[in-house]
Amino acid sequence: MPQPDRPLALDYTAMDDNALVVEVLRGDRQAFRHIMQRCNQRLYRVARGVLDDEAEIEDVMQEAYLKVFEKIETFRGASSLATWISRIAINEAIQRLRRRHPTVDIDNLDNAAPDAGSVVSLPLRAADGDPAAAVARDELHRLLERAVATLPPTFRSVFLLRDVEGCSTEETAELLAIRSETVKTRLHRARQLLQCELRERTEAALGGTFPFLGRRCSRVT
């Protein structure tokens, strides 16, 4: 029975993981480009959880996509495509870290965090259309990024996957090849470390808040 003609323009955004994989196996490079666009944000974050150098992170992403392209036919859909690709990227990032620091075992850093008590949640959303709020939000994001960058890789990777990327505990455990209980412990300690780091950064800046100097001071005087 003859097969119906394929549409001239495929709607890649409407395709699920398996449909995109089928198109890639047919030789559709645009389908693979769409997979990359769909996964880029997560791959950057999972690689950033392990590595610090931006150029090396992009190298890891490229290497991961090359490996994905080479073995795309092995994807069976047991997990999401993003999870499958992320696992490849994490393995590549960890291998690079261990080549750079062969004496460091990132799995033995669980006891590095002090007990900092409860964690203070910070608002990350500003009202739409409010330029001042948008500037404040961007500055807060930069502050958080600098603080997250100080975390040891074992904590940073869990924090980025759980609190930034929004992965479940189970998916994070699968990606990092650790137990769910370990994910919870590392996330708690990552939040503690961040609380300490953010407290130090904000306390250092408190002395310069609400200035009343220069012309304002002279005017009142």
Side-chain angles (χ1 to χ4, degrees):
M1 181 177 179
Q3 296 294 322
D5 293 335
R6 297 173 66 202
L8 294 178
L10 297 177
D11 185 2
Y12 297 103
T13 59
M15 291 183 180
D16 62 17
D17 292 349
N18 291 325
L20 283 171
V21 170
V22 168
E23 291 303 318
V24 173
L25 292 174
R26 287 174 173 168
D28 188 340
R29 294 189 176 185
Q30 187 62 27
F32 194 78
R33 181 186 298 274
H34 191 81
I35 288 174
M36 294 175 67
Q37 292 171 344
R38 186 178 289 186
C39 297
N40 270 341
Q41 179 70 85
R42 174 174 289 194
L43 250 65
Y44 172 78
R45 286 172 172 169
V46 300
R48 186 64 180 83
V50 178
L51 300 168
D52 299 319
D53 183 82
E54 292 291 327
E56 191 171 20
I57 290 170
E58 291 192 13
D59 287 345
V60 165
M61 294 173 67
Q62 293 285 354
E63 185 63 28
Y65 282 130
L66 284 173
K67 291 182 177 179
V68 168
F69 189 79
E70 292 171 354
K71 58 174 67 175
I72 190 72
E73 72 279 357
T74 67
F75 176 69
R76 296 291 180 262
S79 59
S80 72
L81 186 60
T83 297
W84 185 68
I85 296 174
S86 296
R87 184 61 189 154
I88 293 173
I90 286 175
N91 286 338
E92 177 66 23
I94 289 174
Q95 288 174 13
R96 286 177 179 244
L97 181 65
R98 285 172 173 162
R99 285 198 297 268
R100 192 196 312 160
H101 303 291
T103 61
V104 175
D105 185 353
I106 65 172
D107 294 327
N108 290 330
L109 296 175
D110 287 338
N111 296 320
D115 185 2
S118 60
V119 178
V120 178
S121 60
L122 296 174
L124 295 181
R125 296 185 181 275
D128 292 337
D130 186 342
V135 170
R137 179 187 58 196
D138 290 343
E139 181 57 35
L140 177 58
H141 284 167
R142 287 190 289 270
L143 175 65
L144 286 171
E145 286 177 355
R146 290 192 292 269
V148 170
T150 67
L151 293 173
T154 189
F155 298 140
R156 188 170 66 230
S157 57
V158 169
F159 179 81
L160 287 175
L161 286 170
R162 286 286 287 113
D163 280 359
V164 180
E165 187 61 21
C167 295
S168 67
T169 298
E170 293 72 21
E171 186 178 9
T172 302
E174 179 185 353
L175 283 169
L176 299 177
I178 57 179
R179 297 181 302 131
S180 295
E181 292 75 12
T182 304
V183 170
K184 295 175 183 178
T185 298
R186 291 182 181 181
L187 179 61
H188 179 67
R189 289 176 173 170
R191 289 169 174 171
Q192 289 178 331
L193 281 175
L194 280 177
Q195 183 190 22
C196 292
E197 181 68 21
L198 289 170
R199 182 189 295 121
E200 290 178 3
R201 289 175 181 267
T202 53
E203 286 179 352
L206 283 177
T209 57
F210 299 105
F212 197 83
L213 303 170
R215 273 187 273 178
R216 296 181 69 194
C217 177
S218 299
R219 185 176 66 251
V220 172
T221 303

